[in-house]
Amino acid sequence: RLLFGLVLLPQLQSACPNILIFLCCLLSSVPSISTETKYVSLLANNHTSRNNNAAAKHLIERYYHQLTEGCGNESCSNSWCASSVGFNRMDNNAAAVKALELYKVNAKLCDPHPSKKGTASAYLESNAHSNSACSNRKLNHKDVNSVRDNFKDVNYLTEEKVYEILEICGEKEDYSPLIRVIGRVFSSAEGLVQSFRKSKPHTKEELKSLQGKDEDKDEDEKEAAACSATAMEEDSPTSSSSRLGEGSSGENDVQKLAPDEVSVDIEAVRRVYERLLSNEKIEAAFLNALVYLSPNVECDLTYHNVYSRDPNYLNLFVIVMENSNLHSPEYLEIALPQFCKAMSKLPLAAQAKLARLWAHYSAEQIRRMVETFQQLITYKVISNEFNSRNLVNDDDAVVAATKCLKIIYYANVLGGDLDVEHNEEEDEEPIPESSELTLQELLGEERRNKKGPRVDPLETELGIRTNDCRRPLVPFEEFVNEPLNEVLEMDKDYTFFKVETENKFSFMTCPFILNAVTKNLGLYYDNRIRMYSERRITVLYSLVQGQQLNPYLRLKVRRDHIIDDALVRLEMIAMENPADLKKQLYVEFEGEQGVDEGGVSKEFFQLVVEEIFNPDIGMFTYDEGTKLFWFNPSSFENEGQYTLIGIVLGLAIYNNCILDVHFPMVVYRKLMGKKGTFRDLADANPVLYQSLKELLEYEGNVEDDMMITFQISQTDLFGNPLMYDLRENGDKIPVTNENRKEFVAQYADYMLNKSVEKQFKAFRRGFHMVTNESPLKYLFRPEEIELLICGSRNLDFLALEETTEYDGGYNRDSRIIKEFWETLHSFGEEQKRLFLQFTTGTDRAPVGGLGKLKMIIAKNGPDTDRLPTSHTCFNVLLLPEYSSKEKLRERLLKAITYAKGFGML
């Protein structure tokens, strides 16, 4: 077994950093291996007893740490100490071999220096004589005081014990004993797990027995028992990870705890940190202990399944995360990345418990933890040069910190203002699937995500969704890391997202860290790949079955009858083969020569939206106060019309087109599966919201003063009143101070849900026909869906000027270009929107603002009377070199004002 371990030494060293020490210890206790291994033979001949083997183990470990870390004394003269001047550094393998040689010749061994930041040597020194310290079962008073002065018997900490040691160190003005204790406990997973436990209330029988005991005798017995336990643990060959969870007390503690509780006293930990972190030397002990602790914890969680045996293991992470200095620069290089790697190995149940626990924290505490992981991610991103060859996805520290940030994210959601009850019911009839086989099925592969987009496992474990949170503890925007978004290669990341391999991490699985622009790019890749897949399927069917080749979703429409032509064609496609809706859209206006490379589709959507949302049609009502549309509950249009409108909305997202629609936010929340509530009336119907709010806040007698019943009235298209009972016989039930909350909730439910139930269900059904297999719901929140559909309302033309490119002989310093931007900036808001419509096909800015719009201004010949023209498919403005600024303004205004139709130049 030993030889097998030596052969696999390089691989084992990467998996377990302490494997060299383990091998050294193993060598010290093996009787013999071969005549060629002289050091092992010497050790075997000189150390035959169990106690001697333990002592040899500790000495070899001390030699090893002296060679790799040093004693900490800057003026050390020991030539075999890493702290001495001129010492030649060696790798871990050479240090292990040299440690055996030094042990053989009984070489000089340095004493750990008090200023040494590392605590490993002190830890080894304190354990080297643990057997002799506990050899006598009954200690006299002097021996007990000596043990207490050195605190070598302290294997775990309590708040009282920390203050006791701190007081003694303060009297002597020497904090090295406390530093050693912290180093020993905080570098040991077992010691940290047992530390700062909540005090248990004693039972009546325990109190009676305690009253009859002699206090001094009891104290001596406790000291002896502790020493005995320490000696047994030192002699035991099992690892700390295997010992964790064996005690029945730990298991019993966990059984009594709630799902959002742990056995550690968090308030006590905070008080201890507050007292100790002000001391720089003590703070350094926490830092170096974490460096020593993290690899062992990672190994325990990866290979030993330690959490399933002892759920109290979670205490370790709770205690470390309470350190308010984790985000300081000293931790960012080594300590925090290693700890994040260990924390990212926690099983799903442990992550969920941490999220539930941290959900009870304040917004300031959540923000501190968010900043801790965000600073690590930013530091790693800025300090490295990531590109298409060196992907940020391959940086273990960034990936681990992002996984840890996900736990905080869901804690932030759980701790916010949740609404888990008002969920929309699923459609009774499933969305019809294509009768044709998918590309994967044609190729004999299993179809991925057949039931829709994926759901985050942690979200499922916690039983909540991001959309359930009305207002988080910390704004969602604080979880977005802009430097990461700038270096992320989204094409590669999307590939990892779809393949779902264990070896490659995709940041799309943590969409909270991505901004809307990056997520929109990921959605664009998903839509395009789906379009290409549908195109290839069509080609395969045309070859195998002789069907007509139709790789696009073709719509041929007349401008004067655009609604009739488009909706009839889409209705036929939805009935015959809904999968055709996921083909790339190709629009042709009858009698026009324009070729659709994107620009014709943009104008098609713009014209359709203008027609559909015309109040004269009666499908939607328009509020002059809010400038928003709402479903008309008394519309004469059938459900099929609303289904087709939903299809149009889904097609716009699918084909990356921006629509000029004006819905209240509750529409996008309902599309994401949430019902409208009283709070949604604030933007959907602010007048009604204010009235109901005043009703809730009214301090007088509601029944006598207002005389309201549970019957409400509405008006139809023709102004006729319609009565509706919120409850049975509502006209006979008065609204009182006691039932007014129920009245308000039912009123809002009727206005936002019940009154438009048929219309909205049909609308949502059409929308999902296009987006049901898209990662849309997984990636975006409702407010981001609105941004995706409607674009940005902020038109920053200065940002557009900065990003515009030039072609055909123009450049930024050309006279005509300078005059063009001066003219454009002098336009009013409406004229600027007309220019955008003329150049890009839409008067809205894309996600991220006009700075994300890639516009090109190309030279279109010398001075002429011809108007400027544009290629809306590619956002290209063809601008002749007009002789004067006045002529430029006149020609440009005429072009953008009377722009309609497509033609070939």
Side-chain angles (χ1 to χ4, degrees), residues 265-277:
D265 188 344
I266 298 175
E267 292 299 327
V269 174
R270 290 173 181 168
R271 290 191 294 268
V272 167
Y273 274 125
E274 188 176 358
R275 290 280 300 271
L276 299 184
L277 288 179

Side-chain angles (χ1 to χ4, degrees), residues 123 334 348 435 775 905:
Y123 171 65
I334 299 175
L348 192 62
S435 58
L905 296 177

Side-chain angles (χ1 to χ4, degrees), residues 449-455 771-778:
N449 299 329
K450 192 168 185 177
K451 296 183 180 179
R454 73 174 77 189
V455 179
T771 63
N772 62 326
E773 294 182 353
S774 168
L776 187 73
K777 291 178 68 173
Y778 181 85

Side-chain angles (χ1 to χ4, degrees), residues 387-395 399 448-449 454 487-510 522 525-526 529 778:
N387 49 47
S388 57
R389 293 185 177 181
N390 181 28
L391 297 176
V392 68
N393 305 68
D394 296 328
D395 190 293
V399 169
R448 295 184 184 273
N449 299 329
R454 73 174 77 189
V487 301
L488 183 62
E489 298 289 335
M490 201 58 198
D491 54 343
K492 305 287 196 311
D493 191 85
Y494 173 76
T495 303
F496 303 150
F497 177 73
K498 295 300 289 185
V499 175
E500 298 182 56
T501 62
E502 295 182 359
N503 299 328
K504 290 292 185 179
F505 174 80
S506 169
F507 288 95
M508 285 181 69
T509 60
C510 298
Y525 287 135
D526 186 82
I529 289 175
Y778 181 85

